Amino acid sequence: MKLTRRHLATALGAGAIAVGAWLALGLGGTREAAPAVDLTLLDGKRLNTTQLKGKVVLVNFWATSCTTCVHEMPQLVATFEKFRARGYETLAVAMEYDPPAYVASFAESRKLPFSVAIDNTGEVAERFGQVRLTPTSILIDKQGRIVKRYVGAPDFAALHALVEQLLAEA
């Protein structure tokens, strides 16, 4: 088979797309450090995100008024339950516009098993890349580096596969 310039151009273009996707997913490059932020959890405890190093963490920005957020919450709970014993943590951060009483009621009525905080000032959302849309979730590796950002509900099967991979890393 004789290769033409068109075949070569197509092959190079496909290769460039594959490399771009690899880098965009954070699989081939350096990972950005997650910000160190202080949070007050609903139970009154203080948490700095640096305390979560050594764990794989999903930081989920959500609101009680967000239907997608409410819909995905049972899957976030199931993911947390599936991986928690292996060093996985979920941190649900309610947006600053969400009334604290609504957040507390939601967390209590749904018996959320993971840490829940309210971003009263908007600083946490700002520090995590100017999060404005909910749900937005950020997956962080054991070294405290951002691996992937999800805007909207993630593909949970793909998320589980990535969490498995990150939990296996040293």
Side-chain angles (χ1 to χ4, degrees):
M1 177 177 160
K2 184 178 178 184
L3 287 178
T4 65
R5 285 184 186 179
R6 193 168 96 196
H7 288 114
L8 185 57
T10 302
L12 288 174
I17 290 169
V19 168
W22 179 264
L23 293 173
L25 291 174
L27 302 173
T30 57
R31 296 174 180 166
E32 167 192 355
V37 294
D38 291 309
L39 299 156
T40 300
L41 305 179
L42 287 183
D43 63 8
K45 294 179 184 169
R46 301 278 300 156
L47 173 73
N48 184 288
T49 52
T50 59
Q51 294 171 268
L52 299 172
K53 278 192 179 178
K55 294 185 175 199
V56 174
V57 181
L58 185 72
V59 180
N60 175 256
F61 290 90
W62 67 290
T64 57
S65 59
C66 164
T67 56
T68 303
C69 301
V70 171
H71 179 73
E72 79 172 356
M73 200 58 75
Q75 292 172 292
L76 291 175
V77 169
T79 301
F80 175 72
E81 296 293 356
K82 178 177 182 171
F83 296 111
R84 76 189 295 182
R86 295 176 47 205
Y88 175 80
E89 186 65 52
T90 299
L91 176 59
V93 180
M95 300 297 281
E96 70 178 306
Y97 54 80
D98 212 353
Y102 289 14
V103 175
S105 177
F106 184 93
E108 184 180 325
S109 69
R110 305 303 196 286
K111 297 184 178 11
L112 298 183
F114 40 74
S115 299
V116 179
I118 301 173
D119 185 8
N120 292 317
T121 64
E123 178 187 355
V124 179
E126 186 72 26
R127 300 271 310 276
F128 269 94
Q130 300 179 342
V131 173
R132 300 284 182 259
L133 300 173
T134 57
T136 293
S137 297
I138 298 162
L139 188 62
I140 301 169
D141 68 12
K142 293 178 185 178
Q143 289 72 41
R145 301 172 304 192
I146 295 173
V147 176
K148 187 157 177 75
R149 294 176 191 270
Y150 301 90
V151 177
D155 172 338
F156 279 91
L159 172 63
H160 289 191
L162 186 52
V163 168
E164 287 279 3
Q165 176 186 337
L166 295 172
L167 288 170
E169 290 179 358

